[in-house]
Every structure is written in C-alpha cells, then in structure tokens.
Amino acid sequence: MIPVQGYVGQTVAVLGLGRSGRATAAALIEGGAEVVVWDDSVPAREAAEADGLIIRDLTKQGAFEGISKLIVSPGIPHLYPNPNPVISAAWDATVPVDNDIGLFFQSFATDAWNSFDVAPRVVAVTGSNGKSTTSALIHHILIENGRPSQLAGNIGRGVLDIEPAHDGEVIVLELSSYQTDLARALTPDIAVFTNLSPDHLDRHAGLGGYFAAKRRLFAEGGPDRAIIGVDEVEGRYLANQLIEGAGDDRVIQISTGRKLTDGWAVSARKGFLSEMRKGRQVASIDLRNVPGLPGAHNHQNACAAYAVCRSLGLGPKGIEAAMHSYPGLPHRSQLVTEHNGVRYVNDSKATNVDSAAKALQAFTKIRWICGGLQKEGGLDTLLPHLQNVAKAYVIGREAEEFARQLSGAEAEVCGTMAVAVSRAAAEAQSGDVVLLAPAAASFDQYDSFEKRGEDFIACVQEATS
C-alpha cells in the first residue's frame, strides 16, 4: 500500500466504494487522514461500514463541513454529460476534488528513496486502444530482464494498493481518460500515447474533450520522455507540441503506418520493428512469429513497449527475447484453442469499431462473432475492413440492426453467444479463425467484456469437446 501523504489529521471524503475507492480509503487512513465514505449503492455502503469505514451521506446539505478534499472513483462523471450531485456540492463548498491517480503521484516518492542507488521510475500509458497490452508487455519485458516492476492502474491493482517502491523499481500504470481527466497531479517519468479513436464521447462531450483528457498526461505532467503514436492526426499534433526540433530525443515517435526516420523513432512495417536514431537504423526485430502479439495493432503496442524499455536502458536483444515469451492478455487477441485446424480467438476487449477493425486486419478467413450495445457513430468506418470476413455471426439485443449495417458481408443473426459459437464452429473449415471482436459494449447481455469473453471461452470448449 502507498500511504497517502499530506492529510494527517484532516478529514477526506471518498465517493465510490468499488476497487479503487476502497483502496483509496485504506491508503488515506494509513497516511493518517480521517476518512468518510459514500456510495449510492446500499450494499456497497453496508460492506464498507462492516469493515469499519465511516459512512457520511454526502448528498445532504452541509455534508462537506470540515472536509479537506473529495476523492472520486473514476466511473463517476464529474463534468459531462452532467456532474454527479456530490461533486457539484463539493464545488459549492470550495472543497478540492481529486482522484486516486492524483494522490498516487502526490505520495509515491518518500524519504526512503534517499538511500536508493537508482530512483524508482513511473511509466504511464494512455490512448484509446492497446493500453492494457502495452502496459502488460512493458512489465513483462522488465521482469524478464531482471528489472523489478509493478503493474497497476486500469489493469491489475489499484495505484494506491501497490507496494512502496524498491531500489530501481519501475511502476507501470495503465491510465484511462477517466483517470487522467481529473487527477490534480500527473508526473510520470515516461508517458505513452498509443493512439486515438472515438470512445467515451458522452463522458467527454465529444472527441475533442476525450483527446484533451488524454493530453493532460503530457501537458500537466511534463514527462522526461514521451512515446507518441503518430498514426492519427492527434498523435502528430501532440508530438509536435512536445518536441523542440528534429534532434530532440525526449520524444520518441512510433508508427505502424509509415517508416519514421527523423530523430528517435520506432516503427513496424510488414511485421518488422525498426529503431531509428538520427536517420540510422540501430536495431530490428522480426515480430511475425511472436505468438502473443498478432497483427499490426499489436505491433504498434510492441513499438511503444520497445521504446519505453530502450528509454529505461534495456538492450534490443533482451527486449526481443522477452517479447517472444509474452503470453498475451485474456480477452485481447487471446488464442483459446485450435481444433481441427480452426483457431478460436477471444478479443472481447474490442469494444469499439476501431479496435474491432484492427482485430479483423490481424487474421484471414474469419468467422466473426460481433454485436452488443452499439456505441455512437455506427459501423460505417468498419465496413472497409470486412474483406477477411467469411461470415459474421451477430449477437446482442440489437443483433438485427447490427447485422443490417454490415453491408458487403454475409451476416447471420444469432442473438446469443452459444448460438453464434455453435454456428461458427459448424461452418468453419481448416485454416479459418473464429474471432470474437464485438465492436460494441457488453452491457446489453453481460456485466463486463470479461464476462462476455469468459462466455465465449466456455462456448468454444463445449463446441470443440
């Protein structure tokens, strides 16, 4: 646990009692703060009270009297589409609002670091797609090369739930736009921007607000080094905002769309990763046979992770060896099984059109399981990427409408995962890939994309047994 510094004897309120909220309350108490908590959910409040936390109804008049700060869990809207009433009340009472990410950066460094030979470092990864894989891959490469590391944030443990840093340790944080948008302190040593595609637009009042939330990690934090994906205009803009000229190696640009030659750059084309320094190639890795990183979208993740690890002093050969042993993450291009020459791949995390398009480009001869709670913008931008789809099997409550939009591809309305997997397995031939890449949220049928992926795996096991 990271004890929160700076609130000894002060009363701090915590709104939201999920994983991050409970960890935040514990870290505040460990640091000497008096903590009161609130959640709209009665069971969540009862569980917290049973564990000894003090419940205060923050919706009541005068609830913020004597409170120094309000800490908000990431899922709670603080601006768009409408601020949570408790947050509005904190504003009216002139109580500062923050989140656990802000507390982490405020509290991570301690006097114990004075005795370390190598100061701990923090790597923060944000972007629309690939954050989890990039973060996990960085962590894996570090561990495989004998560097102590912890993985936290939007993946793994909450940021305040990790252990205090050891000498030379690297903390790898995956940060969502919900987390970067509100944090009052953002000071990573290395910050990564993978890419940008439309997502969470209601929460950020459009694409501009969504990008602005991610840009805060760089504009507010001033990292020593920034790794920026430049395959979208927003990444090119961000890199240009940070760079002082062609020789400025504080910015490493990454791309899978074109070969980068100026400054310090890492790109991947046709399955080969290249590192360029001052116009000269200094290293190359063949990614085509790395089992845990299939497809161009994963090659972008590999570029980002490679750039981070090179920034931390690792050599290309050590990075390459670790990439080959990377097992991949559940629900992200996860190979479930191969049966009768047919591969079954779980990419349930492909919850938006862009991530699904990248999954479709990673394979050929695809039996595509898709559908769910559709996001804003429709499926038009997905249509150019259906050339590898032999047939789509559509699930979800809106399956008929989803299938209607897939012009140019044969689509069968299945409704449920069990029917979709059964039909795809029955029609698949050797060399085909049965791919779950929904291009939609899961909440019409499942509690989370993880539950959806687990159902896919169970259905595959039944169909192939």
Side-chain angles (χ1 to χ4, degrees):
M1 181 184 298
I2 305 295
V4 175
Q5 301 180 41
Y7 298 97
V8 174
Q10 299 181 44
T11 300
V12 179
V14 175
L15 176 63
L17 292 170
R19 183 190 66 160
S20 67
R22 293 296 295 271
T24 298
L28 283 161
I29 292 169
E30 185 71 17
E34 302 291 333
V35 175
V36 297
V37 301
W38 180 253
D39 193 296
D40 290 338
S41 166
V42 173
R45 296 199 302 266
E46 290 175 345
E49 192 168 26
D51 289 340
L53 293 175
I54 300 171
I55 307 296
R56 180 185 294 189
D57 187 347
L58 298 176
T59 66
K60 289 187 175 180
Q61 186 74 25
F64 281 94
E65 184 175 347
I67 289 178
S68 298
K69 184 169 278 191
L70 172 66
I71 308 300
V72 179
S73 294
I76 300 172
H78 60 271
L79 187 54
Y80 302 114
N82 294 294
N84 183 279
V86 171
I87 295 174
S88 292
W91 294 346
D92 292 340
T94 64
V95 171
V97 179
D98 203 350
N99 63 12
D100 60 336
I101 305 301
L103 295 182
F104 168 83
F105 281 110
Q106 175 184 326
S107 306
F108 182 54
T110 67
D111 291 339
W113 290 20
N114 294 329
S115 63
F116 291 169
D117 292 329
V118 179
R121 309 286 293 280
V122 176
V123 176
V125 181
T126 196
S128 295
N129 301 306
K131 297 186 299 298
S132 296
T133 295
T134 299
S135 301
L137 181 57
I138 294 167
H139 175 68
H140 174 80
I141 293 170
L142 290 168
I143 294 296
E144 290 294 297
N145 282 272
R147 294 286 295 271
S149 176
Q150 295 185 70
L151 180 64
N154 206 42
I155 184 174
R157 305 165 72 177
V159 292
L160 295 172
D161 196 36
I162 67 173
E163 300 302 318
H166 301 294
D167 193 332
E169 189 166 36
V170 180
I171 308 301
V172 184
L173 304 180
E174 178 196 340
L175 299 182
S176 71
S177 59
Y178 292 5
Q179 293 169 310
T180 58
D181 197 19
L182 188 60
R184 296 170 72 94
L186 286 166
T187 54
D189 298 285
I190 300 173
V192 179
F193 177 84
T194 59
N195 50 57
L196 194 84
S197 62
D199 207 357
H200 308 303
L201 300 188
D202 57 338
R203 176 68 179 262
H204 298 292
L207 187 61
Y210 178 51
F211 175 56
K214 294 188 177 296
R215 182 178 177 273
R216 290 192 75 246
L217 183 63
F218 303 85
E220 303 290 332
D224 295 332
R225 178 157 284 126
I227 288 101
I228 310 293
V230 294
D231 286 336
E232 293 87 29
V233 65
E234 292 87 357
R236 293 173 62 199
Y237 166 84
L238 180 57
N240 184 264
Q241 287 276 295
L242 298 171
I243 205 164
E244 293 295 334
D248 186 358
D249 66 2
R250 294 174 304 167
V251 176
I252 304 177
Q253 299 187 42
I254 62 172
S255 173
T256 57
R258 55 200 173 100
K259 187 173 182 178
L260 304 173
T261 57
D262 293 332
W264 193 354
V266 181
S267 56
R269 299 182 68 206
K270 298 181 180 180
F272 287 88
L273 179 152
S274 298
E275 178 188 0
M276 304 294 293
R277 299 287 295 269
K278 299 179 180 179
R280 184 172 65 90
Q281 181 174 298
V282 297
S284 177
I285 295 176
D286 184 351
L287 298 171
R288 293 174 299 174
N289 295 316
V290 178
L293 297 168
H297 62 305
N298 275 312
H299 294 174
Q300 183 189 54
N301 302 331
C303 288
Y306 178 92
V308 168
C309 293
R310 289 289 281 146
S311 298
L312 293 169
L314 273 62
K317 290 185 178 180
I319 297 172
E320 181 177 9
M323 284 183 175
H324 277 277
S325 65
Y326 175 65
L329 285 174
H331 316 298
R332 297 161 178 87
S333 297
Q334 175 192 9
L335 178 62
V336 176
T337 190
E338 184 169 342
H339 182 73
N340 292 336
V342 177
R343 286 180 291 165
Y344 294 81
V345 177
N346 168 24
D347 202 348
S348 183
K349 185 63 170 64
T351 59
N352 59 42
V353 168
D354 185 68
S355 55
K358 290 176 178 177
L360 292 175
Q361 294 172 66
F363 305 100
T364 58
K365 300 180 181 178
I366 298 169
R367 303 280 170 177
W368 178 33
I369 298 177
C370 56
L373 190 61
Q374 203 169 323
K375 296 186 177 181
E376 290 183 29
L379 303 179
D380 287 350
T381 58
L382 190 58
L383 300 184
H385 305 289
L386 301 182
Q387 65 271 19
N388 293 331
V389 175
K391 184 176 178 180
Y393 305 81
V394 189
I395 64 173
R397 290 205 300 257
E398 302 171 351
E400 290 188 8
E401 171 60 21
F402 196 101
R404 187 189 63 78
Q405 297 178 62
L406 298 177
S407 58
E410 181 182 357
E412 178 178 339
V413 175
C414 297
T416 67
M417 185 70 73
V419 172
V421 171
S422 176
R423 293 288 298 141
E427 296 182 350
Q429 302 174 8
S430 180
D432 286 359
V433 175
V434 175
L435 171 67
L436 171 66
S442 60
F443 303 121
D444 59 334
Q445 292 181 308
Y446 302 94
D447 291 338
S448 65
F449 73 83
E450 292 95 341
K451 293 295 184 184
R452 177 171 60 191
E454 290 165 5
D455 190 24
F456 173 74
I457 293 170
C459 293
V460 167
Q461 290 171 342
E462 182 174 346
T464 57
S465 59

